[in-house]
Structure formats: C-alpha cells, structure tokens
Amino acid sequence: MIYIENQQQNHDIPITTFKTAARTILNALECPEDTELSVVIVDDDQIQEINRDYLQRDNPTNVISFAQQEGEGAGICPELLGDVVISADTAARDAAEAGVPFFSEMSFLLIHGILHLLGYDHERGTEEQAAEMEAKERELFAVLKQAFPELITEGSK
C-alpha cells in the first residue's frame, strides 16, 4: 500500500501519477506487493521544522526519510518500509536551477528517499556505497523515464 499526502499548496502535484511512480520504483526494486510506503509532500517551512526537530539541522532540505526497518523496531512489521517527506518548494527551485521538469525532480527525490529506506546511504557510508546508491538512482530514473516519457524528459537527471 502506498499512501501519499500532499500538505502543501504551492505546487500542483499529480498525486495519482506520483503514486504510480512510487509503485513503479518499488516494483523495480522487487519489493513485495504488500510493502507499505508513506510519502508526505510539504513546503519548505514544514520540512525545515522536521529537519530541525529530528535531525538537528535548522534549514529546509529536499527530502528526508524515516526507515521503519532500522533500529529497535526493525522487523516488527516487515512490510512497513517507512516514510519519505519531500519539500515541493525545494524540488521546484532545484528543478528550475537544473532546467528539468518539476515532476522529474520530484520523482528523483522519491527514488532517493526510497533508497534511503532500503538502507542505501551516501552520507554515512563509504565512497563505494555512495557510488552504489548513485548507480541505483540512475537505474531507477531510467525506469521512470520509460514509464513516464511525457513527464520525465531525456534532459532530466
């Protein structure tokens, strides 16, 4: 089950299409059909508050993941993957700066967040682990380009 909640009002998000993109990513990663994923789309103020309260970083960021299969509770509910929080404001800015479509940037952040939920780590891991995550991001982004050619263009990521 994939849950998507749009809590921001600044950017138009095609929720049904975004949910399909999430399912496409999970399928490409061979996650079981009963995998549960929660995605919350917020604005910069909301993600800054989350970033400050949970990660002690008092600034907005593009995506934050909360894995449910790490730490003390890991394995209690194996189908529960976790939560991905994406700032649509930051995604829109980053997309404009990179000259890519907004949906492309949102999709990339979704991939990035899901990979963190599955244990990929570019920040605390080794250089090899960071390179592995980047390669997996490229692979999954190529899958989404095929699935959504009208929304994700060749110039993206």
Side-chain angles (χ1 to χ4, degrees), residues 47-87:
I47 206 158
Q48 180 170 352
E49 183 177 329
I50 293 166
N51 204 16
R52 181 186 60 239
D53 293 351
Y54 291 95
L55 300 174
Q56 291 71 53
R57 299 175 185 160
D58 194 11
N59 58 290
T61 189
N62 52 10
V63 61
I64 300 174
S65 297
F66 296 98
Q68 297 299 313
Q69 297 305 316
E70 294 178 355
E72 288 181 33
I76 292 175
C77 191
E79 67 276 0
L80 185 57
L81 193 56
D83 307 311
V84 175
V85 183
I86 300 172
S87 171

Side-chain angles (χ1 to χ4, degrees), residues 11-145:
H11 308 278
D12 185 35
I13 311 288
I15 296 298
T16 302
T17 305
F18 202 61
K19 187 174 187 177
T20 302
R23 173 52 54 205
T24 301
I25 295 164
L26 293 176
N27 288 346
L29 290 166
E30 299 181 359
C31 292
E33 280 298 314
D34 63 348
T35 298
E36 291 187 36
L37 170 67
S38 170
V39 180
V40 182
I41 303 165
V42 298
D43 61 25
D44 272 352
D45 289 340
Q46 291 168 294
I47 206 158
Q48 180 170 352
E49 183 177 329
I50 293 166
N51 204 16
R52 181 186 60 239
D53 293 351
Y54 291 95
L55 300 174
Q56 291 71 53
R57 299 175 185 160
D58 194 11
N59 58 290
T61 189
N62 52 10
V63 61
I64 300 174
S65 297
F66 296 98
Q68 297 299 313
Q69 297 305 316
E70 294 178 355
E72 288 181 33
I76 292 175
C77 191
E79 67 276 0
L80 185 57
L81 193 56
D83 307 311
V84 175
V85 183
I86 300 172
S87 171
D89 291 342
T90 299
R93 258 191 329 277
D94 291 349
E97 287 175 17
V100 301
F102 175 66
F103 189 83
S104 291
E105 186 65 21
M106 290 291 293
S107 297
F108 176 78
L109 295 174
L110 181 62
I111 290 168
H112 189 85
I114 290 172
L115 288 177
H116 273 297
L117 295 180
L118 292 171
Y120 288 83
D121 193 344
H122 60 94
E123 294 178 328
R124 295 176 296 208
T126 64
E127 285 184 28
E128 292 81 19
Q129 290 169 323
E132 181 183 353
M133 184 174 183
E134 285 181 31
K136 186 57 86 171
E137 285 171 338
R138 284 191 302 273
E139 175 188 322
L140 293 169
F141 202 73
V143 169
L144 288 185
K145 280 183 185 179

